[in-house]
Amino acid sequence: MMEKEPPNSSEGQQGWFSARNGSGSSLDLESVVRPLALNPWDVVLCISGTIISCENAIVVVVIFYSPAFRAPMFLLIGSLATADLLAGVGLMLRFAFVYFIPSEAVSLLTVGLLVSSFTASVGSLLAITIDRYLSLYNALTYCSERTVTRTHLMLLLTWGASVGHGLLPVLGWNCLREPSACSAARPLTRSHLALLSASVLAALAAMLQLYVQICRVVRRHAQQIAVQRHLSAGSHDGAGSRKGLATPVAILGTLAACWLPFAVFGLLGERGPAALCAHAALLPAAYGSLLNPVIYAFRNREIQKVLWAACCGCVSPAPPCRSRAPSDV
């Protein structure tokens, strides 16, 4: 009796991003028939995920295991670090499941984890921006119970929406049964990827508007300081405004550089080799998770004190709740 021929190996798994153009990417979620050739892009993503996980784990440990950090702004920074930590873990798991433990079901869970974590990262950035704006705009009432309640509500909405986005591919909104609906970010459908991209663009637009308002508050504070010190508003305001506006401009520039490629790619689709475009969109987003601890955590004076105290074996006092000065933006 003749044996059945094995399925065509060209239909096997190629990793998370499909290579409909024959580029041989390692990013697809179908069952594996033969071992995959190691893709350099995947190695870069895995190494990036390892670094992201390590540095964000430090922030999570410092914030969540230090009773000193229970103020709203630290809870939001902790939420951002948790989201980026999960994103790093997701990148490592995706690499392991694609090359060593191929499984369609587990790969779907990995994709869901990545979608949830990156969405939560962007949502936490938006929540931090809202908190920074309110701490400057309502400085006198910032340290109140209302602020704590508002922070918990923002965290609940952020993680609820993020988990919902991540569950969609797992619960059936994927293209594994309908390949024609696949985006380059397989198994996400083109409509789901467009929804994620539109959500990112909406969050970036909201952050841009809020930082414009923050810059106005910073400029007004600089003018008030100039008047109080009996200096000419023109000479002092220029230097003070430039110093106070440097951080918002750097934050917005980093956000745009990291997330605009993903958003544009998701809305317009690939304009070249699918795998190359998809990797080029995902890598900047991953590097955003790499830079977030540096921008939002390691620059914070209180966190710096705790880290130095931990290195020296000292005990750091609890930081008091306070509204931000323009230099803290």
Side-chain angles (χ1 to χ4, degrees):
M1 185 173 64
M2 297 180 62
E3 295 182 358
K4 294 182 178 180
E5 294 183 0
N8 186 358
S9 61
S10 64
E11 300 295 329
Q13 178 178 347
Q14 297 179 9
W16 192 35
F17 294 119
S18 62
R20 295 191 300 270
N21 60 354
S23 63
S25 169
S26 63
L27 296 169
D28 194 347
L29 285 180
E30 298 175 2
S31 59
V32 169
V33 176
R34 64 182 180 184
L36 297 174
L38 196 62
N39 191 313
W41 289 96
D42 293 334
V43 176
V44 173
L45 283 173
C46 184
I47 294 174
S48 301
T50 304
I51 300 173
I52 290 169
S53 301
C54 292
E55 63 176 351
N56 282 285
I58 295 174
V59 180
V60 170
V61 169
V62 168
I63 291 179
F64 285 96
Y65 289 91
S66 299
F69 297 120
R70 292 297 178 264
M73 67 174 178
F74 292 114
L75 294 179
L76 295 173
I77 293 174
S79 172
L80 176 62
T82 302
D84 290 333
L85 171 61
L86 293 176
V89 171
L91 291 174
M92 292 189 294
L93 290 178
R94 190 201 61 80
F95 182 86
F97 290 133
V98 166
Y99 287 99
F100 303 110
I101 317 173
S103 168
E104 183 178 284
V106 177
S107 296
L108 273 174
L109 293 174
T110 305
V111 171
L113 174 62
L114 284 170
V115 171
S116 295
S117 56
F118 280 125
T119 305
S121 180
V122 175
S124 297
L125 289 173
L126 177 58
I128 289 174
T129 307
I130 294 173
D131 178 72
R132 289 183 167 183
Y133 169 74
L134 293 176
S135 70
L136 290 173
Y137 193 76
N138 299 321
L140 297 178
T141 59
Y142 178 72
C143 295
S144 65
E145 193 65 30
R146 183 179 180 181
T147 301
V148 176
T149 303
R150 182 183 62 237
T151 301
H152 290 161
L153 180 60
M154 287 194 297
L155 291 175
L156 181 63
L157 292 175
T158 295
W159 283 96
S162 302
V163 172
H165 268 302
L167 286 177
L168 290 177
V170 180
L171 296 179
W173 195 11
N174 58 65
C175 63
L176 295 180
R177 301 294 177 264
E178 191 179 353
S180 61
C182 281
S183 66
R186 190 182 180 94
L188 300 182
T189 64
R190 285 190 292 270
S191 57
H192 190 189
L193 185 61
L195 176 62
L196 289 173
S197 301
S199 301
V200 170
L201 280 179
L204 291 178
M207 283 186 272
L208 174 62
Q209 178 63 27
L210 287 170
Y211 270 115
V212 168
Q213 299 299 324
I214 287 174
C215 290
R216 291 176 179 174
V217 175
V218 170
R219 183 177 179 85
R220 187 164 60 246
H221 284 182
Q223 291 174 340
Q224 292 172 352
I225 292 173
V227 172
Q228 291 173 358
R229 294 182 178 179
H230 304 287
L231 298 174
S232 62
S235 62
H236 179 82
D237 181 49
S241 296
R242 285 193 297 269
K243 183 178 179 181
L245 299 180
T247 300
V249 170
I251 290 174
L252 285 176
T254 302
L255 283 171
C258 292
W259 283 105
L260 277 181
F262 173 84
V264 172
F265 168 75
L267 290 176
L268 301 182
E270 58 268 27
R271 291 293 185 270
L276 179 61
C277 292
H279 279 105
L282 182 61
L283 273 176
Y287 290 149
S289 296
L290 192 70
L291 294 174
N292 284 338
V294 178
I295 297 175
Y296 294 94
F298 298 142
R299 289 178 61 251
N300 184 277
R301 295 187 184 93
E302 284 79 12
I303 293 179
Q304 288 177 359
K305 291 177 183 178
V306 171
L307 290 175
W308 280 112
C311 294
C312 301
C314 307
V315 178
S316 179
C321 176
R322 61 179 179 85
S323 58
R324 288 184 180 87
S327 59
D328 297 330
V329 174

